[in-house]
């Protein structure tokens, strides 16, 4: 077995969700979950089918985000992995809905950070072991950092 890291290629401020599912209809079900929860959100989905023709399936409502999802899913090439790139919202807007889709097994991350995916490759195929989401912690927040965090949450409309 060989361990590799695959960097998610995306614009610096682009949010995405990376997870694992188990069924060929995942793209359709994830699409429905997003539009029913956040109809204004633009998104693209890539999904690695790990049996039969083993293709990257894709969907969404924004051609650029769909292409980004296709490209990253192919770079991962991990069994039943899915990636959803979003614009016009945040993962928190759709995360619980995504996790409640019956065939979704797990979510590895939901972030706008730079991400490296730790991938194991064997003779059979590839699988995600985990992710490196962002950078190493640099310390403990100060009173000024707390105020900055609270101000930011109010600025983006998540707190009154």
């Amino acid at each position: 077995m060989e361990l590799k890291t695959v960097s998610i290629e995306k614009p610096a401020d682009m949010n995405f969700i990376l997870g694992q599912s188990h069924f060929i209809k995942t793209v359709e079900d994830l699409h429905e979950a997003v539009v029913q929860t956040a109809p204004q959100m633009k998104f693209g989905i890539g999904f690695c089918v790990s049996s039969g023709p083993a293709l990257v399936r894709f969907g969404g409502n924004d051609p650029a985000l769909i292409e980004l999802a296709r490209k990253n899913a192919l770079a991962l090439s991990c069994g039943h992995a899915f990636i959803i790139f979003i614009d016009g919202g945040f993962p928190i807007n759709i995360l619980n809905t995504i996790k409640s889709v019956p065939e979704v097994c797990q979510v590895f991350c939901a972030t706008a950070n730079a991400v490296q995916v730790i991938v194991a490759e064997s003779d059979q195929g590839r699988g995600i072991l985990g992710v490196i989401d962002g950078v190493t912690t640099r310390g403990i927040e100060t009173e000024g950092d707390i105020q900055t965090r609270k101000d930011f949450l109010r600025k983006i409309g998540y707190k009154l």
Side-chain angles (χ1 to χ4, degrees):
M1 178 175 54
E2 184 178 348
L3 295 180
K4 301 178 178 197
T5 57
V6 177
S7 294
I8 299 300
E9 300 294 328
K10 66 179 195 60
D13 60 349
M14 176 71 56
N15 278 283
F16 73 96
I17 298 170
L18 176 66
Q20 185 176 27
S21 185
H22 76 89
F23 200 53
I24 193 170
K25 70 184 185 79
T26 295
V27 168
E28 289 84 355
D29 288 355
L30 292 175
H31 184 112
E32 290 171 2
V34 174
V35 298
Q36 290 173 5
T37 306
Q40 79 292 348
M41 191 177 285
K42 300 293 183 204
F43 66 97
I45 303 168
F47 172 59
C48 301
V49 177
S50 65
S51 59
L55 301 172
V56 171
R57 310 256 185 227
F58 58 92
N61 63 6
D62 182 274
L65 296 177
I66 292 169
E67 183 55 32
L68 192 60
R70 287 168 39 148
K71 179 178 107 174
N72 279 279
L74 185 59
L76 288 168
S77 291
C78 291
H80 287 142
F82 67 83
I83 191 162
I84 306 170
F85 288 94
I86 63 174
D87 188 21
F90 298 98
I92 195 171
N93 302 132
I94 60 172
L95 191 56
N96 281 336
T97 302
I98 296 301
K99 291 189 291 187
S100 71
V101 171
E103 65 265 26
V104 170
C105 302
Q106 64 182 327
V107 170
F108 294 104
C109 67
T111 187
N113 290 337
V115 168
Q116 292 177 319
V117 182
I118 303 164
V119 173
E121 185 168 356
S122 72
D123 293 339
Q124 178 176 315
R126 295 175 84 172
I128 297 174
L129 298 183
V131 298
I132 299 171
D133 181 352
V135 299
T136 303
T137 304
R138 296 182 181 119
I140 297 175
E141 69 181 349
T142 65
E143 290 300 319
D145 296 321
I146 292 169
Q147 191 59 52
T148 299
R149 172 173 40 92
K150 290 179 178 183
D151 291 345
F152 174 73
L153 290 171
R154 282 153 182 79
K155 177 182 173 186
I156 64 172
Y158 274 88
K159 294 290 181 177
L160 297 175

